[in-house]
Amino acid sequence: MADLTTDVRYIKGVGEQRAKALEKLGIHTLRDLISWFPRRYEDRTALRRIAELVPGETACVSAMAATAPTLTFTRRGLDLVKLRAVDETGELDVTFFNQSWLKSSLKKGETYIFCGKPEGGPRLWRMAAPIVEPEGKREATCRIVPIYPLTAGVSQTVLSRSVRQGLDACADILPDVLPDEIRLRRQLCQAGFAYENIHFPQSAEALALARRRLAFEELFLFTIGLRRLRKRREVVHVAPLQAVDMDGFYRALPFTLTEAQRRCVNEALADMASGQPMNRLCQGDVGSGKTMVAAACVYFAVKNGRQAALMAPTEILARQHYAGLSPLLEPLGVRCALLTGSTAAKAKKTIAAQLAAGEIDFAIGTHALITGSVEYANLGLVVTDEQHRFGVSQRAALASKGAHPHTMVMSATPIPRTLALILYGDLDVSVIDQLPPGRQAVETYRVPGSYHPRVFNFIRKLAAQGRQAYIVCPQVTESGDPEDDKKAVTEYAQTLQREVFPDLRVAFVHGKMKPREKDAVMTAFAAGETDVLVSTTVIEVGVDVPNAAVMVIENAERFGLSQLHQLRGRVGRGKHQSYCILISDHRNEETAERLRVLTKTSDGFKIAEEDLRLRGPGDFFGQRQHGLPGLKLADLGMDAQLLQEAQEEADSLLSRDPDLKTCPAIAERAEALFRQAADTLN
Ligand code: ADP
Ligand code: MG
């Protein structure tokens, strides 16, 4: 007797040869086959009489071949098969291209279904290259037809026939992984109905039911997998950190923390005092003040006699953190050091020795913090800033420097909370959902390239008031060759200096510069010694210059929404009204819509949701993170509600039966789904 692990080659009607072809798609077992979901569908349900046809509207017609098919050849070497078909309401001329076999297989006097786009009108209708099937044998017409993702050597027909065979083979053995109770509560259809209708929908409604059910199943199993992973983590025990009087720290700050910052700090401190390693994502929009949350955690860990490390994705950012935090923390007795790629070899050695001896409490830096030779005496807390820039392995390497240090990752990519739960899997999430007081929204405009003179005048006007401006250029080449970017940025800055702003101080920074040079430029800008800074996206992350009040973004259409929001976050950080000007000549409606989102809202979460909706989760995280493995149907942008329901059910099941003793199939499927996914989660 067959089960879902049966090799497809043993399924009746599939056989060796098709099995070989299916293998190329990664379809090995019966389960793989029936889980190979259509990419999209074509609605071929409309069955019309000839008189009811509408030009350009795809439809199926049941008509008799009134003439025998004729075969002719065009001068360009195309062979044409033509015939005239009739029903009681009219006449239809059909033409097939390069399907000469139809000449002998279509018979005068027989009735066929023709499905295609009609042209012409009541006197005579025409259909070019329709799909044709004998009236009595409808497979690809008169229904909603699945269109599968394919590979060379496997056609739609082969796939859909194989799936048909597969579904027939498992009709009686298809287990329903979802308990009836959940199914009924959430109004989900049965597995058999779902698999049948996701492939061969009886109607649009049936398809919707099938999709909902299967998407729920994915999200449910995924959540179960995540929860179990987290549980495994919780087995680790570490010495709980002791309560610390934080007043000294709070009094040293030039401002009071916002309520949201306080909440995040408290959540993190509670984690560190819990006896289990903290594993927390601190998420806050640009400018929400994540750095001080990190600083509070560092203070807490150091006062507990532990070392802390803060890892930033760029040299500029690491230096900025050091410049900001060491004057605050040193007087409180926290010995700080900066360690980056450009730290001189001798200094590096000294710092490494001090870290190993426990003479430095707090190391700030780039990935230089985790290179093999750096050892820590007693690393207790690792904070990674803007973590989406870091790979899993880098984070893991830093964490491995201490025996289960507490970890906190800070991200300004404001992803919807539900999505965060999935993406960051086993992390707890804190959200700083409040900006420090007194911030004004950045006024944002989209203008065409012809507005350049006006934009430059505007910059000049603000510069006269003492403000500073950023001008960001996108990557020039598809390849992203830094040489080209360097050239573009350098030349643009020189032209601006010479021809537009001879009286202002223009500087530039690009990815090809040595860290020391970059740093010098940024430091000068932060000190107000530069009026206009031309750059590539190196300033995207984290840089804090409160006096900068204009952000001009050239070719704004080339950036993702969230990236634009990050860039915009570089201004509006001080008390001055700030502006963001998106320059784009792109006329595409989708681009216009994306840019409009930015001009309308400054809420990072809303923008992220829009970004997710417009681009899908695959693109949202850029090239590196292609969608979510294991989730074939569920769309995290569209299915947020379904995800919530799935999570509720997963949690309630796990609270009743933590080890899934009553439903081993769920445990098994969740593990399998999760194994595929775990690699890409970080
Ligand atoms: P981000 O969350 O983008 O990393 P930062 O930590 O860089 O934000 O903080 C942005 C700016 O806001 C900094 O200049 C910082 O000093 C300031 N800031 C942070 N918290 C507060 C607060 N509670 N009140 C006033 N200003 C604050
Ligand atoms: Mg920051």
Side-chain angles (χ1 to χ4, degrees):
M1 166 123 162
D3 65 30
L4 290 179
T5 61
T6 305
D7 193 310
V8 284
R9 79 187 65 225
Y10 302 122
I11 295 168
K12 183 171 155 286
V14 175
E16 289 290 335
Q17 211 173 345
R18 277 190 192 170
K20 271 219 182 79
L22 292 174
E23 206 155 278
K24 287 193 218 150
L25 294 166
I27 300 174
H28 307 288
T29 65
L30 184 49
R31 181 187 298 288
D32 295 339
L33 181 59
I34 65 169
S35 306
W36 189 259
F37 299 129
R39 184 160 46 91
R40 60 185 181 86
Y41 301 84
E42 251 173 52
D43 187 351
R44 298 183 197 150
T45 46
L47 182 63
R48 299 221 169 110
R49 295 201 282 188
I50 292 176
E52 296 164 350
L53 290 173
V54 179
E57 270 183 24
T58 301
C60 298
V61 170
S62 172
M64 186 187 73
T67 62
T70 59
L71 175 63
T72 54
F73 299 91
T74 68
R75 248 180 262 142
R76 288 211 222 110
L78 218 57
D79 47 20
L80 305 179
V81 172
K82 295 190 183 189
L83 63 78
R84 173 160 299 177
V86 297
D87 69 4
E88 61 276 27
T89 68
E91 294 184 332
L92 173 70
D93 271 0
V94 293
T95 309
F96 302 94
F97 304 99
N98 286 336
Q99 289 176 279
S100 53
W101 65 88
L102 289 174
K103 159 105 170 78
S104 49
S105 64
L106 297 178
K107 299 269 186 313
K108 181 179 170 184
E110 298 278 322
T111 302
Y112 298 96
I113 307 282
F114 300 95
C115 179
K117 245 186 210 165
E119 298 298 337
R123 249 168 27 88
L124 180 66
W125 287 97
R126 294 184 306 276
M127 228 183 232
I131 294 160
V132 62
E133 286 181 330
E135 159 81 330
K137 189 170 163 283
R138 301 172 182 182
E139 261 181 13
T141 61
C142 302
R143 57 187 311 158
I144 299 173
V145 178
I147 309 291
Y148 291 98
L150 296 175
T151 186
V154 190
S155 67
Q156 288 296 345
T157 316
V158 164
L159 245 175
S160 91
R161 292 212 176 130
S162 304
V163 170
R164 180 71 267 159
Q165 302 287 358
L167 287 172
D168 292 345
C170 63
D172 302 324
I173 55 166
L174 194 65
D176 203 321
V177 72
L178 294 181
D180 284 347
E181 189 199 333
I182 295 181
R183 251 186 352 88
L184 295 176
R185 192 164 37 237
R186 300 296 173 176
Q187 301 180 324
L188 300 164
C189 67
Q190 287 182 343
F193 180 92
Y195 279 98
E196 177 66 30
N197 280 281
I198 198 78
H199 290 290
F200 304 107
Q202 272 149 22
S203 64
E205 294 74 38
L207 174 57
L209 284 176
R211 207 200 78 87
R212 183 177 134 82
R213 140 84 206 213
L214 292 169
F216 180 95
E217 183 176 313
E218 283 180 353
L219 295 168
F220 174 77
L221 293 172
F222 203 89
T223 308
I224 297 263
L226 286 174
R227 299 291 194 263
R228 281 159 66 85
L229 191 76
R230 180 191 304 220
K231 204 170 140 227
R232 235 168 281 161
R233 188 193 92 216
E234 281 166 1
V235 192
V236 177
H237 290 284
V238 295
L241 299 191
Q242 301 304 311
V244 163
D245 182 6
M246 296 292 291
D247 275 354
F249 173 78
Y250 289 133
R251 266 201 308 274
L253 292 181
F255 40 70
T256 37
L257 291 190
T258 62
E259 226 169 273
Q261 283 171 311
R262 276 300 260 274
R263 177 165 32 80
C264 290
V265 170
N266 290 338
E267 284 168 353
L269 300 197
D271 284 354
M272 290 189 275
S274 74
Q276 284 168 356
M278 168 166 75
N279 207 8
R280 185 166 286 278
L281 170 69
C282 171
Q283 208 183 52
D285 210 345
V286 277
S288 60
K290 292 184 289 296
T291 315
M292 282 311 154
V293 172
C297 295
V298 167
Y299 181 83
F300 180 79
V302 170
K303 290 297 160 191
N304 266 280
R306 308 295 155 92
Q307 288 170 305
L310 169 60
M311 183 156 75
T314 64
E315 183 106 14
I316 291 180
L317 207 52
R319 283 165 187 275
Q320 183 185 291
H321 280 322
Y322 180 75
L325 294 180
S326 67
L328 170 73
L329 293 171
E330 287 276 0
L332 301 174
V334 178
R335 295 163 295 179
C336 306
L338 175 69
L339 187 59
T340 70
S342 64
T343 306
K346 210 170 134 200
K348 224 180 240 172
K349 239 185 178 159
T350 315
I351 294 171
Q354 288 173 315
L355 282 171
E359 292 159 13
I360 289 172
D361 304 306
F362 181 27
I364 300 170
T366 55
H367 59 271
L369 290 178
I370 55 169
T371 52
S373 60
V374 182
E375 298 293 338
Y376 295 80
N378 188 10
L379 184 60
L381 169 66
V382 175
V383 183
T384 47
D385 192 14
E386 311 293 352
Q387 71 88 35
H388 58 288
R389 291 293 175 99
F390 275 118
V392 192
S393 57
Q394 286 170 312
R395 260 181 34 205
L398 186 46
S400 74
K401 298 276 172 189
H404 302 296
H406 298 288
T407 60
M408 171 178 262
V409 295
M410 300 195 295
S411 175
T413 311
I415 53 183
R417 192 184 176 95
T418 46
L419 183 52
L421 280 174
I422 282 224
L423 280 169
Y424 301 112
D426 57 337
L427 271 64
D428 299 304
V429 181
S430 292
V431 180
I432 312 183
D433 50 7
Q434 184 184 20
L435 293 179
R439 293 279 170 79
Q440 304 179 44
V442 177
E443 280 183 34
T444 304
Y445 304 95
R446 180 204 166 164
V447 301
S450 60
Y451 274 48
H452 267 115
R454 290 208 221 175
V455 172
F456 294 146
N457 275 338
F458 185 64
I459 291 178
R460 185 187 308 284
K461 198 179 106 198
L462 286 176
Q465 297 165 15
R467 302 288 83 73
Q468 293 163 280
Y470 293 104
I471 300 180
V472 174
C473 314
Q475 257 182 10
V476 190
T477 47
E478 288 296 316
S479 68
D481 182 357
E483 271 307 328
D484 292 339
D485 289 344
K486 168 184 165 186
K487 194 157 159 257
V489 167
T490 316
E491 279 172 10
Y492 191 35
Q494 284 163 350
T495 309
L496 283 176
Q497 175 77 82
R498 212 171 40 237
E499 288 164 21
V500 185
F501 301 124
D503 48 332
L504 298 182
R505 297 158 300 179
V506 180
F508 58 87
V509 57
H510 56 71
K512 239 342 195 27
M513 280 173 151
K514 292 215 178 65
R516 213 181 297 273
E517 295 172 309
K518 254 193 251 178
D519 186 43
V521 176
M522 289 312 299
T523 310
F525 188 69
E529 291 159 15
T530 308
D531 302 298
V532 179
L533 181 63
V534 183
S535 81
T536 50
T537 54
V538 291
I539 55 143
E540 177 193 343
V541 175
V543 176
D544 186 33
V545 181
N547 189 46
V550 201
M551 166 63 65
V552 176
I553 302 172
E554 304 273 359
N555 298 99
E557 74 280 352
R558 301 236 203 134
F559 297 92
L561 261 188
S562 294
Q563 202 180 7
L564 288 171
H565 179 64
Q566 291 292 314
L567 284 169
R568 176 168 63 178
R570 298 308 111 218
V571 296
R573 300 172 80 86
K575 51 187 184 300
H576 314 288
Q577 175 60 53
S578 297
Y579 307 87
C580 175
I581 300 166
L582 308 167
I583 301 183
S584 173
D585 282 325
H586 227 248
R587 293 226 165 71
N588 175 305
E589 182 47 37
E590 195 196 310
T591 305
E593 195 188 334
R594 283 202 303 131
L595 298 181
R596 212 174 299 130
V597 172
L598 275 176
T599 59
K600 279 194 317 227
T601 180
S602 55
D603 179 336
F605 283 82
K606 260 199 207 125
I607 289 169
E609 262 161 26
E610 277 300 301
D611 209 12
L612 197 58
R613 191 177 66 76
L614 292 170
R615 296 199 295 160
D619 286 348
F620 186 77
F621 293 91
Q623 292 294 311
R624 280 177 305 142
Q625 196 131 27
H626 268 291
L628 285 176
L631 299 189
K632 293 179 185 158
L633 286 173
D635 175 331
L636 293 167
M638 315 289 259
D639 294 326
Q641 172 65 29
L642 201 60
L643 174 60
Q644 167 124 25
E645 292 181 25
Q647 286 177 336
E648 283 167 17
E649 291 296 348
D651 288 337
S652 112
L653 174 65
L654 287 173
S655 70
R656 273 176 280 138
D657 180 7
D659 298 318
L660 299 176
K661 287 210 177 67
T662 57
C663 32
I666 291 182
E668 189 193 311
R669 291 274 310 279
E671 293 270 313
L673 188 60
F674 216 73
R675 262 197 307 278
Q676 306 164 22
D679 303 341
T680 17
L681 292 172
N682 51 56

